[in-house]
Amino acid sequence: MNSQDYINKIIKYSARFVEEVTSYNALELYDINIHSENFFIPIFNQIFDLKLENLNKTIKKNYPSIDLADFKKRVSFQITATSTTKKIKETIEKFIRYNLDKEFDTLYIYIITEKKNNYSDAQISNLLPKNFHFTVKEHILDNNDLLNMVNGLAIEKLSYLAKIYEQEFSDIQIEQRHKKYRYGYLSSDEDKLILNSLQVKVPPELYIAELDIDEKLIQDRINEWCSSMGYRVKKRRMPKQKLIINELAHNKVMCQDWLFWEGKLFTFRDLSKSGEPLAGIVDKGTITEINSEDYYNQNENALRVFKNLLRNALREDCHSKGLEWVNKKELLRFKKDKDQSGSKMISWKGKHKAKKTVVTELINKKKGHVICNRHLAFHPAFELIDNTWFLIINSTWSFTNPDGRRTSRFEKDYLSGIKRLENNKSIYNFFRFWSYFLRYKDLFSRKNQILKFEEIFPFMVQPKLEDDKWLPAREELSQIEHKDAIIMNDDELTLNLFD
């Protein structure tokens, strides 16, 4: 959008504001006036380059004469819907009476309806001390004055102001204020609230043991391999985490559901069982079985360790489902198969059976070669709420080079483009997919899945908010382009799977 587009939005929604205030004040409903004090803080901050605070909240209710102030820059504002000369005089008289002219060099009186054309500088100047500058033209403002000031702002500020006006005076905001100010209540209708969290049933016990590995032997083995490959030999002692991983790989054990902390190995696997792969690297005489709840309730440090162990257990469960962990970005994403060409799809069921594209190749539209891959992914986090564990799922995308491993250098651009297409419905649909995917089992699923997930449980809230009105307007984009790459809309999001 260009500057004029943003200015047009500001004009449109600021006119709504003036009309709304005028209507309520005509009915002797003045709550909107109080509401406007907070609304104007970011507006004035951008236009006047200030850091205002609402004195009626930060200092005391009904602060004399002024509502907003920047003490550092010594600028103050009175926000009022009353445009009479009497109101102007009363404001200035009170401003002087409370010696505010000693604290502030500038006083603006902002009329949120429309100012008069007959204010007299001569009448007002008689009220002012000689060293205080205040003129009708310069310091009594209304929406028209504000629009003239906005016209000269940089596009970044215009974009910010347009977003504030649009969100604050959208249909849903006006409708909710109408219910609140006219009738004293919001809608009594209930609405379902779906949080992006799944209840998790964690293993009832965890096992802790000290290590029993030959660190020197493992490091020599690693250095021998490095030397054979032409890599630099490591002279310093290697981290034990790396030594453990190498020892497990040497024993042909591939698992991630363990944690090394303060010289001990933590896992949900029963280390006392014969044949347990992890048992080969621990001192069997030190194996301790602990109740999970007793452990994570000890202190904050134990809780943090337990959360990390849950994350590693999730990584192990998801690995068997075709996901890979990206350590630097702390996300799980669908892995590109070695022989994959085109898209990778997963069957699932929302309301109906469907297929979700989880990995797709982005093709150069001119030359026809693969530019990169787009992987469906999510950032996991675990939270304990009222002694119940939840997995927080923040769905996202990951972009890799054609080999499907290294991060694409255009990932940031692609992600920002996709984010512009997102809304509550698309985010909800992705969450429903992840919920189904993590809970689904078939003949090929890992038999001993560590974490068990419950079905989505909706919360009932009031008032009911309609997304199509609540969400700010967005441009309809059919595709996102970056140089020669093209990403199409995900058509699956248009399916009515969850009605």
Side-chain angles (χ1 to χ4, degrees):
M1 297 179 70
N2 57 36
S3 297
Q4 191 57 50
D5 292 328
Y6 291 126
I7 291 172
N8 290 340
K9 275 192 175 185
I10 295 171
I11 292 172
K12 172 185 175 181
Y13 289 104
S14 64
R16 281 189 174 192
F17 182 23
V18 173
E19 181 182 354
E20 191 178 6
V21 172
T22 303
S23 299
Y24 282 125
N25 282 207
L27 296 170
E28 298 185 353
L29 300 171
Y30 303 110
D31 287 345
I32 186 71
N33 301 2
I34 298 172
H35 173 77
S36 67
E37 294 173 6
N38 288 324
F39 168 75
F40 277 116
I41 289 177
I43 303 295
F44 292 155
N45 283 347
Q46 291 295 316
I47 295 175
F48 296 94
D49 192 24
L50 300 172
K51 291 185 178 179
L52 295 168
E53 61 181 270
N54 189 335
L55 303 182
N56 297 309
K57 290 188 175 182
T58 60
I59 299 182
K60 70 175 183 177
K61 191 174 182 180
N62 296 322
Y63 193 88
S65 182
I66 58 177
D67 301 303
L68 313 178
D70 182 332
F71 286 92
K72 187 174 182 180
K73 292 192 174 181
R74 297 173 63 85
V75 178
S76 60
F77 285 85
Q78 159 71 226
I79 311 295
T80 180
T82 306
S83 59
T84 62
T85 300
K86 180 182 178 182
K87 175 64 177 179
I88 303 299
K89 288 182 176 181
E90 287 177 350
T91 299
I92 295 174
E93 287 172 346
K94 193 177 289 186
F95 185 84
I96 304 303
R97 187 189 318 145
Y98 284 91
N99 295 315
L100 295 178
D101 58 308
K102 304 295 189 298
E103 294 188 54
F104 301 102
D105 298 326
T106 305
L107 167 66
Y108 290 106
I109 301 176
Y110 186 83
I111 314 296
I112 53 181
T113 50
E114 186 177 6
K115 68 182 183 181
K116 306 291 186 183
N117 295 320
N118 58 350
Y119 301 119
S120 169
D121 269 320
Q123 291 181 16
I124 292 174
S125 61
N126 294 331
L127 306 173
L128 299 169
K130 292 182 180 180
N131 59 346
F132 191 84
H133 178 67
F134 183 97
T135 66
V136 167
K137 183 178 180 181
E138 188 178 353
H139 296 100
I140 302 178
L141 309 174
D142 65 5
N143 187 57
N144 290 328
D145 297 303
L146 220 57
L147 293 177
N148 287 332
M149 296 177 186
V150 163
N151 196 41
L153 295 178
I155 191 168
E156 293 81 9
K157 289 191 172 186
L158 289 174
S159 172
Y160 177 75
L161 293 175
K163 184 178 294 185
I164 293 176
Y165 270 104
E166 184 177 13
Q167 291 180 345
E168 192 63 27
F169 300 101
S170 63
D171 291 336
I172 186 64
Q173 290 282 18
I174 291 175
E175 182 181 328
Q176 295 303 320
R177 281 196 293 270
H178 176 76
K179 291 178 179 179
K180 180 178 179 180
Y181 298 154
R182 290 292 300 273
Y183 307 113
Y185 66 89
L186 295 178
S187 171
S188 60
D189 295 336
E190 288 190 324
D191 196 12
K192 287 184 180 180
L193 176 64
I194 304 293
L195 304 179
N196 61 327
S197 57
L198 287 178
Q199 187 174 334
V200 187
K201 185 178 180 181
V202 303
E205 290 88 25
L206 73 141
Y207 298 83
I208 306 173
E210 295 180 5
L211 290 179
D212 182 17
I213 57 176
D214 189 332
E215 296 182 28
K216 184 178 184 306
L217 176 64
I218 300 172
Q219 182 150 342
D220 288 343
R221 185 169 63 222
I222 295 174
N223 280 330
E224 183 179 345
W225 179 84
C226 288
S227 181
S228 68
M229 298 297 293
Y231 299 139
R232 187 172 61 180
V233 172
K234 307 288 185 181
K235 294 182 179 180
R236 293 183 179 179
R237 179 183 295 179
M238 297 179 185
K240 286 190 178 181
Q241 185 92 358
K242 186 173 182 178
L243 297 178
I244 295 171
I245 294 172
N246 184 270
E247 181 68 4
L248 290 174
H250 182 72
N251 296 337
K252 297 183 179 179
V253 176
M254 302 298 293
C255 65
Q256 307 173 76
D257 53 322
W258 55 271
L259 179 71
F260 180 72
W261 177 253
E262 294 185 339
K264 295 180 181 179
L265 186 87
F266 292 72
T267 183
F268 293 119
R269 294 172 180 258
D270 188 347
L271 298 174
S272 62
K273 284 186 177 180
S274 60
E276 169 53 53
L278 289 179
I281 63 169
V282 300
D283 182 348
K284 293 180 174 57
T286 64
I287 297 173
T288 305
E289 179 182 338
I290 299 180
N291 178 270
S292 294
E293 185 175 347
D294 290 342
Y295 178 77
Y296 61 69
N297 280 326
Q298 290 181 54
N299 50 53
E300 287 297 322
N301 193 49
L303 180 64
R304 184 166 59 90
V305 171
F306 196 81
K307 284 184 178 181
N308 279 273
L309 183 57
L310 288 176
R311 186 187 67 176
N312 290 351
L314 178 68
R315 290 170 55 185
E316 181 67 17
D317 286 342
C318 287
H319 177 75
S320 65
K321 291 175 171 284
L323 272 67
E324 60 183 350
W325 175 253
V326 185
N327 198 46
K328 289 185 178 180
K329 298 183 181 298
E330 295 189 336
L331 58 78
L332 283 158
R333 71 183 178 202
F334 279 97
K335 188 176 182 180
K336 181 179 181 180
D337 299 331
K338 290 183 179 180
D339 56 348
Q340 177 190 326
S341 61
S343 299
K344 179 178 181 178
M345 306 186 79
I346 297 291
S347 296
W348 73 294
K349 186 177 180 181
K351 181 180 179 182
H352 308 289
K353 289 183 178 179
K355 287 191 174 183
K356 169 65 67 181
T357 303
V358 295
V359 182
T360 188
E361 294 176 338
L362 274 61
I363 310 297
N364 184 300
K365 60 183 179 180
K366 294 180 180 178
K367 300 180 181 179
H369 65 265
V370 177
I371 296 178
C372 66
N373 303 283
R374 182 180 67 179
H375 307 248
L376 183 59
F378 73 93
H379 293 280
F382 287 91
E383 291 296 334
L384 181 65
I385 303 173
D386 291 334
N387 215 35
T388 300
W389 281 101
F390 291 89
L391 169 65
I392 314 300
I393 298 175
N394 290 310
S395 192
T396 185
W397 296 92
S398 178
F399 292 82
T400 62
N401 286 342
D403 61 7
R405 296 180 182 178
R406 294 170 296 154
T407 301
S408 168
R409 63 192 178 99
F410 298 123
E411 181 177 68
K412 183 178 180 181
D413 299 298
Y414 294 144
L415 277 174
S416 64
I418 287 181
K419 292 299 181 184
R420 290 200 297 270
L421 297 175
E422 286 186 347
N423 54 33
N424 278 4
K425 184 176 181 180
S426 65
I427 294 171
Y428 171 59
N429 288 355
F430 280 125
F431 174 64
R432 287 296 300 267
F433 169 76
W434 285 117
S435 169
Y436 175 89
F437 179 79
L438 292 172
R439 290 184 294 109
Y440 177 72
K441 289 184 180 181
D442 59 16
L443 294 175
F444 304 100
S445 299
R446 188 169 182 260
K447 293 182 179 179
N448 299 320
Q449 187 168 320
I450 305 167
L451 304 179
K452 308 294 191 301
F453 298 97
E454 303 290 339
E455 291 188 11
I456 296 173
F457 179 78
F459 297 89
M460 304 306 295
V461 296
Q462 291 178 313
K464 182 176 182 178
L465 301 178
E466 299 177 34
D467 284 348
D468 59 340
K469 294 182 179 179
W470 177 260
L471 293 174
R474 63 170 68 240
E475 294 180 75
E476 294 295 329
L477 302 177
S478 61
Q479 61 190 34
I480 309 163
E481 296 191 14
H482 178 78
K483 294 188 176 179
D484 291 330
I486 182 169
I487 307 174
M488 301 305 295
N489 276 356
D490 189 347
D491 293 334
E492 294 159 354
L493 299 184
T494 63
L495 299 177
N496 295 319
L497 301 175
F498 311 111
D499 294 341

